[in-house]
Amino acid sequence: MTYSPVVVGSGLVAWQFLKATQDTQRAVFDKSTMLKRDAEYFREKIGTINSAEDLVNDRRLLGVALSAFGLEDKIDAKFLIRKVLEEGAEGDEALANRLGDGRYVALARAFTFEKVLNAKTQEPGFGTDMIARYRENVLANMEAGLAESGDTDTAYGASVREQVAVNIETETAFFKKNIGKVSSAQGLINSPRLYAFAMITFDLQDKSGRTSLIKRVLEQGAQEPQALANILGDQRYIDLAKAFEFDRAPGSPMAEAGYADEIVSDYFLHEFEVAVGSVDESLRTVLNFERAIPQLATGDSSENTKWFQVLGTTSLRNVFEAALGLPAGFSQIDIDRQAETLKDKMSARFAVESFSEMSDPKVMEKLIHSYLLQDQIKQGSSFGSGQTALTLLQSIPRRSLLG
């Protein structure tokens, strides 16, 4: 059974009680059997997900993912969520950005399904330095051979140089055309011409027959001290391993260490906010605001983009509109005018000139207190004026009355 948060009073009194007991209540809440089971399932399965389609087709995984970003009510909008995930949030035309809701943007940025783990050999421009090194080694070996046979300045030597130059161009062209088809150490070894090119490039042609050794060098890379290339203590092996990076494990970026824990942490926090909202919706709104605004304030988006994200996120918009005493029809005016109005009001009332200043706890506290007071006034509008005044007085902390 899920723990139900304890809330005492309403407005500022309820908020201060919640803040004072939040760590203890969260510790109990996070031990909920259902939450723990969903979290473990997410940790176990998310690393196997390679596409947006995979994610939306696993309802349990999707439930955790959406809840972490406050989108749990979109669990049945599979086509929408899939499009958001597939398009990401980089371009202005991406669906997440066009929806005008910061939750979708955060979701799209958290779950990236771009193919970023292809073999290095398949990256544009791969092998440019390798080709130059190959040419240098072939020419050096040729000149050493001619010098040893006494043909440095003979007609035969000139003929050899001419033929080697042709061979270099032929093998280089073959390498450029075909290396992108190779995505593993075994694949390189299975192509005699590409393999020979690599061995010559790193001056390892005398080791070409030791394919088992070379395969292990390539597969283990050179990142870890215990990798074979490092153990052998020969720079040629290290250079070979670093050039190809076949140790880069293909797979889901969601399998990276720590990824699942970040999402699960957000999932637990959001579920706690939902549970608080079942007791007092205003407190849920404030908890979400307290979490989201500092993250947005310290982000690298432009000033206008941050305000547009606020306006596109209902819970954040509601706090600002109430705290700043904006009229009911405010959301109907032009979006650019809305953003300018929020900037002007924040400057006049809270001396905030830049969105980044809202990461200041003191500014956050003032905004939250203003919102809660305005919310209480709204809720008490059906009371008599005397009862409303008494309720507000009881909600204001004693220290603020005394100081």
Side-chain angles (χ1 to χ4, degrees):
M1 182 176 178
T2 303
Y3 169 79
S4 181
V6 177
V7 175
V8 175
S10 61
L12 288 175
V13 169
W15 174 244
Q16 290 179 333
F17 175 82
L18 180 62
K19 293 300 293 179
T21 61
Q22 185 173 353
D23 289 345
T24 302
Q25 295 205 55
R26 276 292 308 277
V28 177
F29 182 84
D30 289 356
K31 292 177 181 178
S32 162
T33 301
M34 182 183 71
L35 290 177
K36 288 175 66 177
R37 285 177 178 171
D38 284 345
E40 287 307 310
Y41 182 82
F42 186 87
R43 289 190 178 99
E44 179 184 347
K45 297 292 184 180
I46 193 61
T48 67
I49 299 300
N50 294 299
S51 68
E53 182 179 11
D54 289 344
L55 182 58
V56 299
N57 284 339
D58 188 321
R59 189 176 180 85
R60 193 173 178 188
L61 272 183
L62 184 62
V64 174
L66 293 181
S67 182
F69 296 93
L71 289 164
E72 65 277 9
D73 59 330
K74 305 300 181 183
I75 187 86
D76 292 317
K78 292 173 62 174
F79 180 76
L80 171 69
I81 297 301
R82 179 177 172 179
K83 290 288 289 181
V84 165
L85 293 171
E86 288 178 340
E87 293 185 15
E90 294 304 312
D92 292 339
E93 295 304 310
L95 182 57
N97 293 319
R98 289 189 284 117
L99 288 170
D101 187 327
R103 297 175 300 169
Y104 291 105
V105 175
L107 176 73
R109 287 176 175 168
F111 291 87
T112 173
F113 294 101
E114 296 176 2
K115 302 297 183 183
V116 296
L117 295 177
N118 290 337
K120 187 177 180 181
T121 52
Q122 295 168 347
E123 295 177 353
F126 173 80
T128 300
D129 293 336
M130 201 180 300
I131 289 169
R133 187 168 177 172
Y134 170 81
R135 184 186 302 274
E136 181 181 340
N137 282 349
V138 170
L139 292 175
N141 290 335
M142 177 194 68
E143 292 298 338
L146 291 176
E148 186 176 345
S149 65
D151 288 308
T152 299
D153 298 316
T154 65
Y156 173 76
S159 175
V160 168
R161 290 189 184 95
E162 184 177 342
Q163 185 58 52
V164 167
V166 172
N167 291 346
I168 288 174
E169 296 307 315
T170 300
E171 294 309 305
T172 296
F174 183 85
F175 179 84
K176 287 180 178 180
K177 181 178 180 180
N178 294 283
I179 193 60
K181 302 173 185 177
V182 172
S183 59
S184 67
Q186 189 61 57
L188 180 65
I189 292 169
N190 287 345
S191 175
R193 289 175 70 179
L194 293 177
Y195 181 57
F197 191 101
M199 293 298 98
I200 292 170
T201 298
F202 295 98
D203 201 21
L204 284 165
Q205 54 268 44
D206 59 323
K207 308 294 182 184
S208 294
R210 303 187 63 183
T211 54
S212 294
L213 172 72
I214 298 301
K215 181 180 178 182
R216 288 175 60 201
V217 166
L218 288 167
E219 289 179 340
Q220 293 181 21
Q223 297 299 316
E224 302 297 331
Q226 64 270 28
L228 181 58
N230 294 319
I231 292 174
L232 290 171
D234 187 324
Q235 191 62 43
R236 296 175 300 168
Y237 292 113
I238 295 172
D239 290 346
L240 174 70
K242 286 183 176 179
F244 285 93
E245 289 187 11
F246 285 130
D247 57 313
R248 277 204 312 204
S252 168
M254 271 71 77
E256 294 178 5
Y259 176 86
D261 290 335
E262 291 183 18
I263 301 297
V264 166
S265 177
D266 287 340
Y267 168 65
F268 276 22
L269 179 54
H270 178 75
E271 288 298 303
F272 180 73
E273 292 172 2
V274 171
V276 168
S278 68
V279 182
D280 188 322
E281 185 60 33
S282 296
L283 294 186
R284 175 187 176 180
T285 299
V286 171
L287 280 173
N288 176 68
F289 184 84
E290 184 185 48
R291 171 169 55 94
I293 290 299
Q295 292 176 351
L296 187 57
T298 56
D300 56 6
S301 300
S302 68
E303 191 81 0
N304 284 341
T305 298
K306 291 175 181 178
W307 281 115
F308 289 145
Q309 286 190 35
V310 165
L311 292 168
T313 308
T314 303
S315 60
L316 302 184
R317 168 193 278 274
N318 288 344
V319 173
F320 278 103
E321 288 185 354
L324 298 173
L326 295 169
F330 176 70
S331 62
Q332 303 303 313
I333 67 175
D334 179 76
I335 189 70
D336 291 319
R337 284 185 58 199
Q338 290 183 49
E340 289 302 318
T341 300
L342 290 181
K343 292 180 192 177
D344 293 342
K345 292 284 187 181
M346 286 299 297
S347 174
R349 187 160 182 178
F350 297 104
V352 170
E353 303 300 334
S354 169
F355 202 104
S356 62
E357 295 174 38
M358 281 187 280
S359 60
D360 185 339
K362 292 181 180 178
V363 173
M364 287 291 294
E365 183 180 38
K366 290 177 182 178
L367 272 166
I368 288 171
H369 284 196
S370 180
Y371 164 75
L372 289 171
L373 286 171
Q374 292 297 325
D375 185 66
Q376 277 192 280
I377 291 173
K378 181 179 178 181
Q379 291 183 24
S381 61
S382 60
F383 299 161
S385 59
Q387 187 173 356
T388 300
L390 178 61
T391 300
L392 289 175
L393 275 174
Q394 291 173 338
S395 298
I396 299 174
R398 289 182 178 274
R399 58 183 176 82
S400 66
L401 288 172
L402 295 174

